[in-house]
Amino acid sequence: MKRIASLAALVLSALCVSGCGLRPLYAGGGSGVVATTLTRIEVAPIEGKAGWLMTGALNSRLSAGGATPLYRLEVRLDDKITGLGVRRDDSVAREQRKLRARYQLIDLANGAVLLDATAGSDAGIDVVGSEYATIAAENTALERLSDIVADQIVSRVALYAQRTQAPKAP
């Protein structure tokens, strides 16, 4: 009896979802509105080591195809490491690395800011006896955080492109 009820609930929910108006973000594949918009974005230079990592992460996701850019993505980063846990000898046992980004999508034709938002993530780092190992862990955390924040930025820009440029469904 429980199986029949579960199956009925599944069928009912599938019918409800089919009529809700959900559309795939990357409809049309590589020639769709979102994909072509993302290839027309240039990433402005970002300062520092975190900026270098973020620029690379964004460029790999936007996959600029050599087309003339229509938009510029300007990103300002805030990268902080904070000590959390303290040992008996007053040394730090754990750190938290926070990477925050404020980004703006700018229309190159008129200089208008089309999207102004923030993204961010954080990672915990164990501080061990070896300073080299701790520095390596901090660098690895920064690389991971750059990828995570770049994914957030590109996802938000893709949603913006879909909402503003996609043809409306009938």
Side-chain angles (χ1 to χ4, degrees), residues 145-161:
L145 292 173
S146 297
D147 285 338
I148 291 167
V149 174
D151 285 339
Q152 292 174 5
I153 292 171
V154 172
S155 295
R156 180 65 177 94
V157 171
L159 284 172
Y160 172 80

Side-chain angles (χ1 to χ4, degrees), residues 34-154:
V34 173
T36 55
T37 300
L38 293 180
T39 62
R40 306 298 296 267
I41 298 173
E42 70 178 9
V43 179
I46 308 169
E47 293 183 21
K49 179 179 181 178
W52 180 78
L53 289 168
M54 182 63 67
T55 300
L58 287 169
N59 281 331
S60 71
R61 284 156 179 76
L62 296 173
S63 63
T68 305
L70 299 176
Y71 310 98
R72 180 177 62 247
L73 185 63
E74 293 183 357
V75 181
R76 287 180 297 286
L77 296 176
D78 182 25
D79 177 28
K80 291 184 180 171
I81 298 177
T82 307
L84 294 178
V86 180
R87 295 185 182 102
R88 289 182 184 179
D89 64 353
D90 288 334
S91 63
V92 174
R94 187 134 174 97
E95 296 175 334
Q96 181 180 35
R97 186 163 208 159
K98 294 181 181 182
L99 184 63
R100 303 289 182 256
R102 178 166 184 218
Y103 58 96
Q104 295 179 323
L105 183 66
I106 298 171
D107 188 339
L108 292 175
N110 57 17
V113 176
L114 304 174
L115 180 64
D116 188 351
T118 59
S121 190
D122 61 306
I125 303 165
D126 288 327
V127 178
V128 294
S130 167
E131 188 174 333
Y132 175 78
T134 301
I135 292 170
E138 290 171 352
N139 288 335
T140 301
L142 180 59
E143 291 170 11
R144 281 186 287 130
L145 292 173
S146 297
D147 285 338
I148 291 167
V149 174
D151 285 339
Q152 292 174 5
I153 292 171
V154 172

